[in-house]
Amino acid sequence: MRLNWRFFQMSKLGNRESDCEDSFSFRSRPMKFAIADGVSASIFSDIWARAVTESTVSGKYDFFGNPDEFIADLIQKAREKWYRKIKWDSLPWYLKNKSVSGSYTTLVGLQFIHEGDAFRYSSFAVGDSVLFHWEGADDYSSYPLSSPEEFNNTPQLVWSGKGFPMPLEFKVKPPRIQKYSGMLRPGGTIFLATDAVGKWLMEYGKFAEVSELLDSSFEMTDLFTREINSKRMRNDDTTLVSIFLE
């Protein structure tokens, strides 16, 4: 019995693949996953989302402990990646003016440990990216949101802190974190989803369909394109990860 996973990502229709502001990171030992949805209204949010997911899975953080004890360190590590990735000196004035306000992203971090014929998991979240625990048919739980009506334009977010000319050592106030845990047993699946596909899954319950199609990037792109064009799914960057036992 081992843990396996599949991953799909696509940019907002009309955008280039490189324009995607979502991020997904994975580490095998210990088994950790992270997804983030960079906020388009803030500049360099793609860099920030990637810095946050990479720092989440690469740091020596125990998700089975208290995330409030390590989130400030995680954000500072991510801030260093973000700050050093941006060439502040070469930015035109209008980008400098905007980038000084910093970048924002959602985050879901997830860690597993093996227990007998199952895997115990612990997760923490900021914002409206969603973890689903699906047991088949319409049997699922989700967090930190549990209904489509909870999605709005003002979710909790992870902030990078201010950009240049503020120093790298700028201290960032940690966001409010929600935590969730459970057991993944044979036949169950954990999905990690950014907001557009998360809301769509709650509304239409297409867990079985996406489970079958996740091996094919072409078929997933076709499905999501049809759902967006039919107005059933919001046109946005989309990331979906499925994690299961086999």
Side-chain angles (χ1 to χ4, degrees), residues 21 42-49 82 86 88 91 95 99 103:
E21 294 169 326
S42 64
I43 196 167
F44 301 128
S45 60
D46 56 337
I47 300 174
W48 177 233
W82 171 82
I86 299 167
W88 302 101
L91 294 179
L95 291 185
S99 60
S103 305

Side-chain angles (χ1 to χ4, degrees), residues 168-233:
L168 174 60
E169 295 75 19
F170 182 91
K171 296 300 181 182
V172 181
K173 182 180 179 180
R176 181 171 59 86
I177 296 173
Q178 298 188 62
K179 189 173 179 181
Y180 186 77
S181 60
M183 291 290 290
L184 179 62
R185 297 182 170 85
T189 303
I190 299 294
F191 290 96
L192 302 178
T194 49
D195 60 342
V197 66
K199 183 179 181 183
W200 174 79
L201 282 169
M202 288 182 189
E203 291 177 326
Y204 299 101
K206 301 283 189 177
F207 297 100
E209 185 171 359
V210 296
S211 293
E212 293 177 2
L213 298 181
L214 264 170
D215 279 332
S216 170
S217 178
F218 174 81
E219 291 184 293
M220 284 295 296
T221 300
D222 182 63
L223 170 64
F224 285 175
T225 299
R226 284 188 281 109
E227 293 302 290
I228 291 169
N229 287 334
S230 68
K231 308 299 184 184
R232 287 188 290 268
M233 183 188 295

Side-chain angles (χ1 to χ4, degrees), residues 16-71:
R16 299 167 298 180
E17 183 178 343
S18 60
D19 293 331
C20 185
E21 294 169 326
D22 287 358
S23 180
F24 166 66
S25 295
F26 162 77
R27 183 180 181 183
S28 58
R29 293 183 182 181
M31 187 71 72
K32 291 181 177 180
F33 300 83
I35 63 167
D37 180 358
V39 176
S40 298
S42 64
I43 196 167
F44 301 128
S45 60
D46 56 337
I47 300 174
W48 177 233
R50 186 161 55 253
V52 168
T53 60
E54 289 175 354
S55 298
T56 299
V57 301
S58 64
K60 295 181 180 180
Y61 309 119
D62 181 8
F63 299 177
F64 290 89
N66 181 1
D68 288 321
E69 295 179 354
F70 62 75
I71 188 65

